[in-house]
Amino acid sequence: MAGGAVTDATIRTRFAPSPTGLLHLGHAYAALFAAQAASPGAFLLRIEDIDRERCSAEFERAIYDDLHWLGLDWPQPVMRQSDRLDAYAAALDRLTGMGVTYPCSCTRGDIRAALSAPQEGAPILGPDGLVYPGSCRGRPVRGLTGDEAIRLDASAAFDLLGVERLSLHDSRPQHLSRAAFLSGIGDVVLARRGMGTSYHLSVVVDDAAQEITLVTRGQDLAEASWIHVLLQALLDLPQPRYRHHRLIRDEDGKRLAKRDNARSLRALREAGVTPAEVRQMLQPIGT
Ligand code: GLU
């Protein structure tokens, strides 16, 4: 279904939940979408558990259990990001060696204050919140101290690559100019304070390690995919194809959230809903 150069048997997709809550119908859609897009290739599961404070073994067990209940299966062993910190550290070192990172000690309050300065114009919301105004840009990296974040110097990254735009293949080719990246996404965090990595860095390193050829994820993460494409180019990693699918919403049009336990797969199952009924609720899968 991905079409193009990827032939069906070679497609590898993944579903990559974080064990920070119970899976809900939105996750079921994402998992079924990835499994369907892979068929007859490989559908992998990856546990994104870098945020040790918010993740729990109990939610990880619930992920396996709920996905099996839905009728999904995947090759073993399952990749867990908490086992991969060395790989993320190596990628971060490489980027630092290339001169495209800097340490940042700004708090959210500092960023808000810098953005309210008259010369900054209206603050812009990027994929990770307010687009960073660059206050710490240019500071030298002196190793990970744990109390600072490491950011990508996006402008230096474009200079190094010598490109004026990024491209990715969704259901059709998409492009983003350097200027749009810098103003709308900016210097994102590659290693969060005390964590040594971030969602963006680890997902890029792991998609390459798992030889994922088609990344499927919700439209809410479409902007983040540009960060991943830039990191893949810097780290010489192959660029997968992308499919950003629709989001499952409640009756009021709001996106489902993990804290909304009443709509969890667990609650549906306990209320007697069958896996076939869940699949029915999510039709059509593939958009
Ligand atoms: N782990 C992310 C989440 O739970 C999604 C990962 C991805 O598709 O890149 O939302």
Side-chain angles (χ1 to χ4, degrees):
M1 91 176 245
V6 184
T7 60
D8 283 355
T10 63
I11 294 182
R12 286 168 71 83
T13 66
R14 86 297 191 278
F15 175 55
S18 295
T20 54
L22 290 171
L23 298 185
H24 54 58
L25 281 173
H27 296 104
Y29 184 81
L32 291 167
F33 186 100
Q36 179 177 302
S39 179
F43 163 74
L44 280 70
L45 177 66
R46 180 168 74 226
I47 300 294
E48 302 215 324
D49 58 350
I50 50 173
D51 190 342
R52 304 307 294 154
E53 278 175 22
R54 292 178 57 228
C55 295
S56 82
E58 184 198 331
F59 287 136
E60 185 177 327
R61 273 194 301 277
I63 289 173
Y64 301 136
D65 203 37
D66 289 347
L67 294 179
H68 278 138
W69 174 74
L70 260 186
L72 292 171
D73 210 354
W74 50 87
Q76 298 290 341
V78 167
M79 181 178 275
R80 300 168 74 239
Q81 291 193 323
S82 53
D83 296 330
R84 307 248 318 134
L85 300 183
D86 289 351
Y88 311 142
L92 188 63
D93 274 355
R94 194 160 154 211
L95 293 168
T96 295
M98 295 163 75
V100 297
T101 66
Y102 60 88
C104 174
S105 51
C106 294
T107 61
R108 279 207 194 102
D110 295 335
I111 296 173
R112 268 196 301 273
L115 287 171
S116 62
Q119 69 276 17
E120 285 297 337
I124 295 177
L125 265 188
D128 293 343
L130 290 172
V131 173
Y132 183 62
S135 325
C136 289
R137 190 180 302 134
R139 286 180 51 203
V141 179
R142 296 211 176 77
L144 268 184
T145 60
D147 51 8
E148 290 185 315
I150 303 287
R151 288 186 180 272
L152 174 71
D153 184 334
S155 174
F158 275 93
D159 284 347
L160 187 76
L161 292 170
V163 296
E164 282 307 311
R165 68 173 193 174
L166 300 174
S167 302
L168 66 75
H169 209 104
D170 201 326
S171 21
R172 67 182 79 88
Q174 313 253 357
H175 308 284
L176 186 77
S177 70
R178 167 190 177 123
F181 190 108
L182 297 186
S183 62
I185 298 175
D187 290 356
V188 291
V189 168
L190 295 179
R192 283 164 63 185
R193 213 182 286 253
M195 206 179 276
T197 188
S198 62
Y199 160 63
H200 303 301
L201 183 64
S202 40
V203 99
V204 162
V205 170
D206 290 346
D207 283 337
Q210 294 193 293
E211 298 177 6
I212 299 301
T213 62
L214 174 63
V215 168
T216 65
R217 56 166 66 117
Q219 269 152 9
D220 54 331
L221 288 172
E223 220 184 354
S225 295
W226 291 114
I227 303 166
H228 306 170
V229 163
L230 182 60
L231 291 176
Q232 285 150 7
L234 290 166
L235 292 166
D236 276 327
L237 299 174
Q239 187 188 117
R241 296 168 67 102
Y242 288 87
R243 285 290 306 279
H244 298 106
H245 57 69
R246 71 185 171 96
L247 300 176
I248 302 299
R249 299 179 184 277
D250 66 15
E251 311 73 48
D252 303 325
K254 282 213 305 282
R255 250 178 68 198
L256 301 183
K258 274 202 181 134
R259 55 190 174 277
D260 192 359
N261 278 344
R263 290 167 211 275
S264 68
L265 295 180
R266 191 55 58 100
L268 292 170
R269 175 177 168 178
E270 281 164 5
V273 176
T274 67
E277 284 165 340
V278 168
R279 284 171 185 257
Q280 197 48 45
M281 283 176 203
L282 296 171
Q283 292 304 321
I285 295 172
T287 53

